[in-house]
Every structure is written in C-alpha cells, then in structure tokens.
C-alpha cells in the first residue's frame, strides 16, 4: 500500500448527507471477484445518463473540469453508510480519491478507508461549508493541502484547519503497513490466548467436536 | 463500578492492548457469503496466507443466487455465477462449513446463523456484511466488517479494534397489538437520525425487550446499523437459551448445561455506566412506514410527510427535497392510501417464520389488489420448509403472492431481478436508499403486517385501519 504523508489536490464538493455505499458503487457495477476495475462503477447512478452506454451526465460534479481530476472529496455527514462493501473504497481509490472530508462516516466504511490508504478526515459541517465555497470559486487554483503528519488541512493562504485521527490509523496510513503480516507476528500470543479461551469455555468447542 | 454486557464479552476476548485504545480481539466465528466472502478468500489465496481455523468459518450462498424455483448457479445478475463458483471453489476441500445452493440449511447469512446455533451468546462473531449486527439479539458480540478486515480475521482469528462508546436504549411500556419491533426501530431512527448512534454499540433492554420473541429481537438488532451503530446487543435470557437448545451448531447436551450457567449470568451490572441513554415508551408507537430514501425518513402511517421548512439543517433540507423528488411525493402529503405497485416480504430483517406467519394471518382468504406484484422470499430453506409444513405457502399463493426459494433476492438490486423504474414498493427490507431495489424503484420500509395489508389494499395501509384484526 502507498504511504500517505502530505499532498495538495483538487477537491470536489459533493455536499449531500447520508451518501451510502450503494450510491458510491451500485451493486450491479460489481461484476468480478476482484478489487480492481471498479472505478467505472463509481457513483454510476449519478455519473452516467445511461448505465448501459455509460454516457456521462454533464451535471454531475465529478464529470466537470477540473473536478474530473479531483483527489479529495468534500462531502456531507454519514458518508459511506449502508452496506459493508469495500468495493466502495476500492472504486474511490482507483478513481483517484486519496482523502475525504466529511462531518462523519459509516463506521465500516471508515475502517475500510484506512485499510486502503484513503484518509477519512472528520471536520465540522461549518468548516466544510466554507471550504466548499472556496474550492468552488476557483477549483484549479484553490487546491487543498492535506498534511497527515501535522493533522492539518490548509486552504487559501491563511486558513489552516486541524483534524483529529487515531494514532494507530495515522501510523498505518503513513507507513502503508500490512496489518495481517504484523498480527501474524503475534501468533504465539494468540495461540496461548486461544488455548486458555477454549479451555475456560468448553461449550465453545462443542460444535466443532461434532463436525471435525 | 460494574461493567456492561458489551464490556464483559469484549474483555473476555481481548488478547492484548495495542496502545492508543486499540486492542487485539479474538474472533470466535466468521461467516461469509458469496458477494463479499468470495473476494476475501480469493485475496488470501493469492497472497498464499492460510485460514487459521477453517473450522470456525461458515459460508452460505444468498446474495446473488436467483430465488426462482429450480434455480442453479446461473443467475440473472450479470456474471453473478462467478461469485457463486468462486466461493464454492475456495471452500472446497477446506474445513469451512458451507451451505451451498441445494443445502437444506442454505439461506440468508443472518437468518441461517441463529437458526443453526452458529451465533451464540457471549461469543465474538464477524461477517463481511453490515447487517451482522442482527445477531446481537442472541447476546452475541457481532458486527459487520469490510473484506480486508475479514481477511485479517480469517488469517489470524483476531481483529484490531478500538472499543466503541456504549449506548443504552431502554424500551419500556407495552407494545400495542399490531405493532412490531420493525416499527420500534423505524420510530427510533426517525427520532434520532440515521447517524444517531454513530460510534456506539447499543444495548437494548427494558420490559418490551423481555416480551419480544427472539425473532423480533433479531429484526430490532438488524437495523442497529441503520441507526449508525457499530452493533446492537441484547442480554441472553431464558428465551434465548431455549431458542438455542438443540440447534445444529449449539453446544451439545453436556456442554449446553455449562453454557447455560454462563449465559444466565451474562448481563449488564446494575451500576454499569453507559456513554449515552435513550428511553422510549413503546405504548404509543403505531405502525411506521418510510416516505423517503433513508430509514430516518419514517413516520407513523397515520401521519403526513413533514414540511421542508420544519427541517432546520440546510443539508438535511436539501436531502429531503431530493428524497421527495425521487419518491414522487409531496411535502405535507399523507402517506396512508398512497398507491403501490408491488409488495415484498423477505430479507434478513423480516423473513423468518414468525414474520411469514404474521403476514399470512392477514392474507388468509384475501387477494392482493389488482396489478400488484407481490413476492414472498423466505429467509432460509428451513424457513421455507417450515412454512410449507404449516401451509403458509398456500395462503401466500392463493392471495396472489409469488412463493420463492430463499435468498436476499430483491432486497438489493445487483443487476438481476428488480421491480422496475418508478415502481412504488412496500417492503419488509431494511434499506430504502435510492436505486436499492432497482433503478429508480421507490421503496417504503414497513413491517410484514403492514406490507401484507398494503398488498391487499393496493395502497399503503395499516393492518388495523383496513379492518384486519390480528
Ligand atoms: S437480505 Fe438484504 S440486507 Fe440482508 S444480507 Fe441480504 S442483501 Fe443484505
């Protein structure tokens, strides 16, 4: 996974509340057992006039210049609620989104972001409002700069907003670590725990006694 | 200071502290389905990482499979059979317990799990599916994860988790006749918002919970995620224990007694502290229905859709205008008597035997209104069998309902079957999002009784208001 430190990018305002993962990628756009090839389906229902022809809807923000090149999404609260499908994050990431700014997120979506190198920034609705005015004004020039090391988003020359993120999530994003490998190194502690756990809860093993 | 039910299970599964509030949590059971499980298994195979305890892993086929009689791997969902076959290939030769399409115990993952005794009180349980929170109804610490987290759990039997905040929801009073746990949860979400429980795990308690049967509790916890919660949980009681007795994967006799002792004690201490509390008097709740495109946009059937000006938050206001436009409805309009095109009874929310029984009671000796598409999809092959033994299928069919094989079916649109553009559907499912049940399909969420009554009337109707007594 790519490591995440600091970058500047075009930000697209998509200010709607409760954008669910079905909207981020409709289920029927998930066509293969793969984490790739999903960006075509991103926001498909809004992005295209017809899903069959995939003719772009010119009114949808991500189809407009320069938002077509956006790497930051500024959006409404409860973003990514709904289905647990990680495809939503894979699609956003493949399309080029590296950070999202919203007042709140669906909880499974949030951890899916961290696991895939997308930074989900939590910010107050009022900050988001003024931020979106600014980015709409002159999107090409008015880029946002995200600095994960310092927990800051800056826009225009004067305004710097800070955000809070869990230390572990931050480290994970910065170092682009593989969690499975890290946890596998704790295998002996896990095994020890497991042995005791199954001994103190013998009923827990019951089902697999009969089926092994 | 005492601890909550959630904390007791959590602490019992905490392997070690990882700092910054994160803990390594042991996961007892993992359930997969073909839509998201296939990708997790395939990804592990590609990385050559093996599954730590395949024997603690279960898998079913529910999401993509057709529900027409005589179905097979082929499905109306474009390239859908790839998902089915990929899952089957991955579990083949492993010790994963697999419920294939033709298995008598196949069904929707969250229906099969309690039915087979796979979810048990006091255990940790995950599934790459957001409605995994349903299983909290049995006192299981269960929550939905993404595919990558699922891979982590498959490979290590653990997850790295920060303990969520805790919320207590007390449901007191007496639930009026004809009002169900579906109405309670819609009421709750409509009052507190779709993100009302963000960052929290909920424990439901109170006299109404004690009165609710296990299947109704499953419906309640099912929609905890629609309330923004990490999960929901209910302390196990005698109902839970007798429900689990004799189930295929429940502990067998000797162990069951030990388990019973443990489960009977498993509850929140009197002096435990929650971060947030909500009290609801259920005596005044009436049947609910959604009018918009989010479960929070719900009202009692007898009420009118709110006016846009009543909403203070600008973004919410905009969302409301969008929702009304999508749904083809007007502010201030009454929802009762709104004409419908279709009725759907199914999904992990409301497709268990008690749901079908309550709908059948209303449908008996009645016919659905002209030109209404009415479909019933039992939640599992076991539910279907049981319903047929009780003759419920005949009631559904003679009323004009299609009677299907079990699966998720038209709860969500994956490119296969759908209700069609601008069709108004009254549905027992859990999500009324835009395009959830089909391109431009307009979904109204309600209880099985309300759906059955509306199918007969051809318009959104409360079972009571059309003169049907339960
Ligand atoms: S029935 Fe619907 S909500 Fe439930 S698991 Fe299936 S698709 Fe998801």
């Amino acid at each position: 996974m790519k490591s995440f430190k600091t970058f500047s990018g075009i930000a697209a305002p998509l200010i709607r509340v409760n954008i669910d993962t079905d909207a981020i990628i409709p289920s029927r756009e998930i066509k293969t057992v793969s984490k790739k090839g999903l960006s075509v389906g991103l926001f498909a229902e809004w992005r295209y006039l017809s899903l069959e022809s995939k003719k772009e809807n010119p009114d949808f923000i991500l189809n407009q210049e320069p938002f077509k090149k956006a790497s930051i999404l500024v959006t409404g609260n409860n973003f990514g609620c709904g289905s647990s499908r990680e495809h939503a994050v894979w699609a956003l990431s493949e399309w080029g989104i590296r950070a999202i700014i919203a007042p709140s997120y669906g909880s499974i979506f949030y951890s899916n972001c961290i696991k895939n190198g997308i930074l989900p920034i939590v910010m107050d609705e009022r900050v988001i409002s003024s931020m979106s005015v600014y980015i709409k004004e002159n999107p090409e020039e008015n880029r946002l700069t995200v600095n994960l090391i310092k927990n800051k988003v800056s826009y225009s020359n004067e305004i710097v907003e800070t955000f809070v993120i869990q230390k572990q999530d931050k480290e994970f994003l910065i170092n682009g670590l593989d969690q499975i490998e890290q946890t596998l190194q704790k295998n002996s502690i896990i095994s020890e725990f497991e042995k005791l756990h199954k001994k103190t809860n013998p009923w827990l093993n019951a089902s697999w006694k009969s089926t092994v | 200071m005492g601890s909550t039910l959630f904390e007791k299970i959590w602490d019992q599964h905490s392997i070690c502290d990882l700092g910054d509030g994160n803990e390594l949590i042991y996961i007892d059971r993992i359930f997969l389905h073909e839509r998201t499980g296939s990708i997790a298994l395939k990804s592990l195979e590609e990385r050559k990482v093996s599954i730590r305890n395949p024997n603690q892993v279960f898998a079913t086929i529910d999401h993509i499979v057709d529900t027409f009689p005589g179905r097979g791997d082929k499905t109306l969902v474009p390239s859908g059979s790839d998902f089915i076959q990929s899952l089957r290939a991955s579990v083949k030769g492993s010790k994963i317990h697999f419920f294939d399409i033709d298995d008598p115990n196949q069904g929707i993952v969250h229906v099969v799990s309690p039915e087979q005794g796979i979810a048990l009180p006091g255990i940790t349980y995950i599934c790459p599916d957001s409605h995994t929170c349903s299983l909290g109804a049995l006192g299981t610490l269960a929550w939905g994860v993404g595919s990558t987290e699922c891979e982590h759990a498959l490979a290590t039997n653990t997850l790295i988790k920060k303990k969520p905040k805790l919320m207590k929801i007390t449901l007191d009073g007496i639930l009026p006749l004809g009002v169900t746990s579906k109405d309670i949860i819609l009421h709750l979400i409509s009052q507190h918002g779709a993100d009302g429980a963000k960052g929290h795990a909920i424990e439901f308690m109170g006299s109404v919970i004690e009165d609710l049967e296990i299947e109704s509790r499953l419906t309640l916890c099912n929609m905890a995620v629609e309330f923004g919660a990490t999960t929901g949980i209910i302390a196990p009681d005698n109902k839970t224990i007798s429900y689990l007795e004799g189930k295929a994967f429940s502990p067998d006799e000797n162990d069951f007694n030990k388990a019973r002792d443990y489960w009977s004690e498993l509850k929140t201490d009197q002096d435990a502290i929650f971060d947030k509390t909500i009290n609801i008097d259920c005596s005044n709740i009436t049947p609910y229905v959604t009018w918009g495109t989010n479960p929070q946009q719900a009202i009692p059937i007898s009420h009118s859709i709110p006016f846009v000006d009543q909403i203070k938050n600008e973004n919410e206001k905009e969302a409301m205008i969008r929702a009304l436009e999508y749904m083809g409805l007007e502010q201030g309009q009454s929802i009762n008597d709104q004409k419908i095109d279709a009725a759907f009874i199914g999904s992990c929310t409301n497709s268990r035997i008690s749901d079908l029984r309550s709908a059948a009671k209303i449908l008996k000796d009645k016919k659905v209104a002209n030109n209404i598409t009415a479909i019933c999809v039992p939640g599992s092959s076991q539910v279907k069998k049981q319903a047929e033994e009780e003759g419920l299928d005949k009631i559904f069919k003679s009323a004009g309902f299609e009677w299907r094989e079990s699966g998720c079916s038209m709860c969500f649109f994956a490119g296969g079957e759908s209700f069609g553009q601008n069709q108004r559907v009254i549905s027992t499912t859990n999500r009324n999002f835009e395009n959830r049940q089909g391109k431009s399909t307009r979904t109204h969420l309600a209880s099985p009784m309300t759906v059955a009554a509306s199918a007969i009337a051809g318009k959104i109707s409360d079972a009571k208001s059309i003169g049907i007594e339960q």
Side-chain angles (χ1 to χ4, degrees), chain B residues 10-291:
Chain B
W10 177 275
D11 291 346
Q12 213 219 10
H13 288 84
S14 177
I15 300 170
C16 60
D17 191 341
L18 298 172
D20 197 31
N22 284 291
E23 290 170 60
L24 192 63
I25 299 293
Y26 186 80
I27 304 298
D28 290 313
R29 296 188 184 189
I30 302 168
F31 214 141
L32 308 171
H33 61 68
E34 83 280 24
R35 189 53 155 177
T36 52
S38 50
I39 182 93
L41 289 174
K42 194 173 152 202
S43 167
L44 283 180
E45 276 162 34
E46 282 167 3
R47 297 180 55 173
K48 299 199 173 28
V49 174
S50 54
I51 299 174
R52 182 186 171 88
N53 273 315
N55 211 10
Q56 288 167 235
V57 183
F58 301 77
T60 188
I61 290 188
D62 55 0
H63 272 67
I64 309 255
V65 66
D66 281 346
T67 52
F68 303 114
R71 63 179 174 185
D73 286 5
K74 262 184 71 187
T75 129
L76 288 176
V77 175
S79 63
S81 47
D82 293 353
F83 290 84
I84 296 172
Q85 285 159 0
S86 167
L87 180 67
R88 189 182 294 133
S90 295
V91 300
K92 200 170 170 218
S94 79
K95 284 190 175 143
I96 295 176
H97 309 271
F98 181 46
F99 306 101
D100 207 340
I101 300 177
D102 52 2
D103 190 294
N105 296 323
Q106 171 276 345
I108 304 173
V109 58
H110 318 305
V111 178
V112 171
S113 181
E115 196 172 78
Q116 296 298 320
I118 294 165
L120 296 173
I123 70 165
T124 48
Y125 173 115
I126 59 133
C127 168
D129 190 283
S130 56
H131 292 103
T132 307
C133 53
S134 312
L135 286 334
L138 296 163
T140 311
L141 190 52
W143 68 93
V145 296
S147 302
T148 306
E149 278 201 304
C150 182
E151 286 172 37
H152 189 278
L154 285 164
T156 66
N157 268 111
T158 68
L159 279 181
I160 298 164
K161 282 286 278 183
K162 191 173 190 154
K163 191 173 1 158
K165 284 191 238 147
L166 302 174
M167 180 189 283
K168 171 163 88 171
I169 299 183
T170 312
L171 304 174
D172 277 324
I174 292 169
L175 201 60
L177 204 68
V179 181
T180 69
S181 57
K182 180 66 159 283
D183 304 303
I184 301 177
I185 190 75
L186 287 175
H187 168 80
L188 182 69
I189 301 169
S190 73
Q191 299 298 303
H192 299 271
D195 58 356
K198 184 113 298 178
H200 289 77
I202 302 169
E203 181 175 348
F204 293 103
M205 51 174 86
S207 61
V208 169
I209 292 295
E210 287 162 29
D211 291 345
L212 286 179
E213 294 305 322
I214 298 300
E215 297 197 348
S216 300
R217 295 180 189 176
L218 285 159
T219 303
L220 187 74
C221 290
N222 176 270
M223 290 187 68
V225 66
E226 256 54 66
F227 192 31
T230 313
T231 190
I233 195 165
I234 294 173
D237 60 9
N238 287 335
K239 283 184 179 167
T240 321
I241 292 168
S242 40
Y243 176 88
L244 288 168
E245 215 160 350
K247 303 259 187 236
F249 290 90
S250 283
D252 40 27
E253 255 175 74
N254 206 356
D255 287 318
F256 198 88
N257 291 332
K258 285 181 213 150
R260 183 203 311 264
D261 293 344
Y262 174 58
W263 295 340
S264 309
E265 298 297 314
L266 196 57
K267 50 169 87 55
T268 292
D269 297 327
Q270 284 288 334
D271 54 346
I273 293 176
F274 288 85
D275 299 284
K276 203 172 163 187
T277 304
I278 294 177
N279 294 315
I280 291 189
D281 178 3
C282 294
S283 309
N284 301 319
I285 299 181
T286 56
Y288 261 70
V289 65
T290 61
W291 55 264

Side-chain angles (χ1 to χ4, degrees), chain B residues 62-63 108-110 129 131 347-349 408 411-412 430 436:
Chain B
D62 55 0
H63 272 67
I108 304 173
V109 58
H110 318 305
D129 190 283
H131 292 103
S347 89
C348 55
T349 321
C408 296
C411 168
F412 84 118
N430 47 39
R436 168 81 178 178

Side-chain angles (χ1 to χ4, degrees), chain B residues 315-326:
Chain B
N315 294 339
E316 296 281 350
K317 214 179 243 184
E318 246 169 71
M320 175 165 183
I321 295 166
R322 260 185 80 84
L324 285 172
E325 194 189 320
Y326 180 87

Side-chain angles (χ1 to χ4, degrees), chain B residues 370-388:
Chain B
N370 280 343
N371 304 324
I372 301 267
T373 308
I375 297 174
C376 177
V377 185
S380 71
S381 298
Q382 280 302 326
V383 170
K384 179 169 182 264
K385 184 165 159 253
Q386 173 73 26
E388 287 171 356

